[in-house]
Amino acid sequence: MDKIGQSEKTTQDRIVRLFQEELGYSFLGNWKSRSNSNVESTLLTDYLKRCKIPDTQIDRTLDILKRTATNYEKTLYEKNKEFYSLLRYGVPVKEEVGENTLTIPVIDWENPTRNDFAIAEEVTVYGRAEKRPDLVLYVNGIALAVIELKSSTHSIGEGIRQSILNQRPEFIQDFFSTVQFIFAGNDTEGLRYGTIETKEKYFLKWKEDVEDVSRLQIDKYFLKLCNKQRLLEITHNFTLFDGGTKKLPRPHQYFAIKAAQKFVERKEGGIIWHTQGSGKSILMVFLAKWILENNPNARVAIITDREELDKQIKKVFEQAGEKIYRTSSGQDLLKQLGQPRPRLLCSLIHKFGRRDVDDFNAFLNEIKNSSVVPQGELFVFVDEAHRTQSGKLQLLMKAILKTAVFIGFTGTPLLKKDKKTTLEVFGRYIHTYKFNEAVEDEVVLDLMYEARDIDQRLSSPEKVDTWFQAKTKGLNNYQKHELKKKWGTMQKVLSSKSRMEKIVQDIIFDFSTKPILSSEYGNAILVAGSIYEACKYYELFQNTELKNKSAIITSYNPSTGDIRTEDTGENTETEKEFIYKTYKNLLGIKSTESYEDDAKQSFIEAPVKMKLLIVVDKLLTGFDAPSCSYIYLDKSMQDHGLFQAICRVNRLDGEEKQFGYIIDYKDLFKKVENAVAVYTSEMDLTNATREDSEIILKDRLKTAKDKLENALEEIEILCESVEHPKSLLHYIQYFCGNPEVPEELRDTEFRRASLYKLTANLVRSFSNICNELEEANFTSTEIERIHERVEFYRDLRETIRRASNEIIDLKSYEADMHFLIDHYIQADESRKISRFDDMALLDIIEKLGIAKAIEALPQAIQVDHEASAETIENNIRQKIIQNHLSDPAFYSEMSELLFSLIQRRKFEALNYETYLQSIAAIAMRVSKGQNDDLPKSLKSKGLRALYNNLGKNEELAQKIHSAILTEKPDGWKGNELKERVLKHALYKALDKNAEEVERIFKILVEQPEYE
């Protein structure tokens, strides 16, 4: 019988046997009593002699390796980097002065089994002090890995800290100059891995075949990571020296590259969706290096849509030691693409366009027929792929790079509105790594959400009405309506000075009381709804302790042209004038770019000097965006933008930061909830094929064409009744009557309303397809007519608006309306409207589906039984929808139960307490994902799903479950040939019923345990 809490030596003996018997390493013995080196001359000499290397060259090779490993003038990082270069590319050797240099390979990377893999235990090393690593892995006599083991009752952290200590100069630092992997493990916590100078908190866990529980994790993952081929592959293809930090891949990065390699080999594009903060930039470096090294004709172009991202990509690649050319203009881009070098370049997507283009279709045809032919096999990486691949620039990029393979990188999945066009450009998903997976793997932090409400009230409604009437004398009803429409919107009300002052006080209070914010490392981002609001916030913070510790970063760059038409002669200040004045004051003699770069650098590197950045859109997306401790949301956001913004706070920034904190002043919880739900669920493009993209393209163009034709027909029908010859006067008389007679203007108002609405619909339909009219099968004559008619109706709308005096220059009323909002709308102190302080956001989403969640609802919802019921029902319904594909039978049953209960609540006056008991029972079943009366043998989620969807036939479910585990090939998902193997196994188990095979296969795809 196995003992609990076995000794470290027992574990060590077992691991040594595992390396010998299962991994094929030779055992060098216990090296406690000998003086050991990281370059064992005898072992390396034996290997080189077997490779037919002459003795004189062997001696020179040994000398160079040892001198590199013990260079006292260099840091450990520098020595390790230089030694790694010798390992990877070979040792340059000259036998005599003046002779040609020969390259001596010390590892055979292409044939791993031809190398000598060995393990030694208790390896005594004499540096400035004597140390003894538990195990050392040698390849051809060179120490590539150090292993520290602990007993099952001692923390794995002790082993990590032991190796970190040993790397210090006063111990055995030089020994680590050859080391690529540092492992620490025990029988209970499993295995962690890192490399030289990796901090304890950044030691990683491998994750693969999670359903395999047949042995201890430490054994399982030594077999995975120290497999001869895998160990050399990671060393060769997945080791990065990144600006002073050596990095190894996380498992999701490794498997993403492995999947991408297959796509690249068959010249197929696709999308890599890895959640925000999980290391997409490193992924680009790994993949680009592999492509360029393994295909001598390959070139890689990295395309972004933002200047700051373009700069950051160049910086990332250069820090990783890769030469990359950044194009300076569109002409430069075309020039570089037309010659064989540089092989690696980056550019903005906007450089595919041209500013002075009037006839875009003609320009597009010119580009398609141009003589510029990109040299080599071009692979195009597009960052933030969901954002940049629509409209004119995308068409130009595809036209210029006809033969290129496009690979998209995104931190967010493709929402419905993005899917079609993005699938057309890139194809299916190559690899996905979702937000909840990253939280579970401790790659990013979980999120803490708090909604705060600042009540506002009208202090004197009568005065407001009197003031408004006085200021708008001489305006007709339409003009007054337009003025109220602009200034009566919620956004304008929420930008009142009183409310913003309360938010500023709120944030200052947090900086004084929240431990992470009050520390020297804490910082925050405030997201404002507009540049004007950002400037107002900045001005308010100048009267607080954050003066000189806050900055604005927006898209605005002051120019005197901005205020050329702003002065109304009323001695007041418009929004643009206020923005211009604020920027001129804060910039001083600096340029906007210099000011923002300095602010961002201080925010990242010295947060004690720059605590708060006020932004609108910039710095919220892309891997260049800085992380922060808190994010304050005072802007309506959704989908990609919202999720990317809140992920500014989920980065691992230090031991003090346990969560990412979101403070919401705009009641965005439902949108936050939905965003996280979307970004933790599977999308439906994983198994899409190239043919799918062609079908979608045709469907989209046909739909867009129909909408445009219908929109044009509707507006022409409206204008049919205009008298001939349909002159300007006839149009005015039809839509306005006599503009000087108010009664006739009122009588024709319905016609003008129809014209405005149909014109807007026509312009919208036209803009959706204007760059693809030819592809939509319009003839050149039809295209010319469409352009002419759209322009005509757009001009007609403006003409009729002016003839009827239904326009208003809002500029002259701007300052007065700001005065009204700032002086007659009062804000109360903020109050918390959620009780989620101590609950991570993923937990909230999970637990809102149970009856007890009603206690955590905002007070206003708690006291309203109808609102409480709908909140709980909506969360249960959302979970049912999210999980339906994984177990259609069970979740359909839950959906029917929920629908029945809702009907009873609405139409049978169901007692509220009885309702709560019933909804709680449904919620608990949905939350667990199973019924309580299942057979005990159904121990896994996949097995339960099979049982539910096979008519609750336990024997058949067990039979298919076993068949899947036995027959499934590795990496079968998304691989058509491997999927056929699995479908064939189902075909036999399901009595050759092809329809049942397809139905059950769709359920298997949703089960992680069968991957």
Side-chain angles (χ1 to χ4, degrees), residues 25 318 385 432 446 550 671 673 720 796 831 844 858 903:
Y25 285 57
E318 286 177 344
T432 64
D446 207 345
S550 56
K671 290 180 179 177
E673 182 187 31
E720 271 183 2
L796 177 63
R831 59 186 178 84
I844 297 170
Q903 295 298 103

Side-chain angles (χ1 to χ4, degrees), residues 556-566 580 584:
Y556 183 71
N557 192 11
S559 165
T560 52
D562 299 336
I563 57 172
R564 188 173 58 247
T565 60
E566 294 296 301
Y580 178 80
K584 293 303 287 185

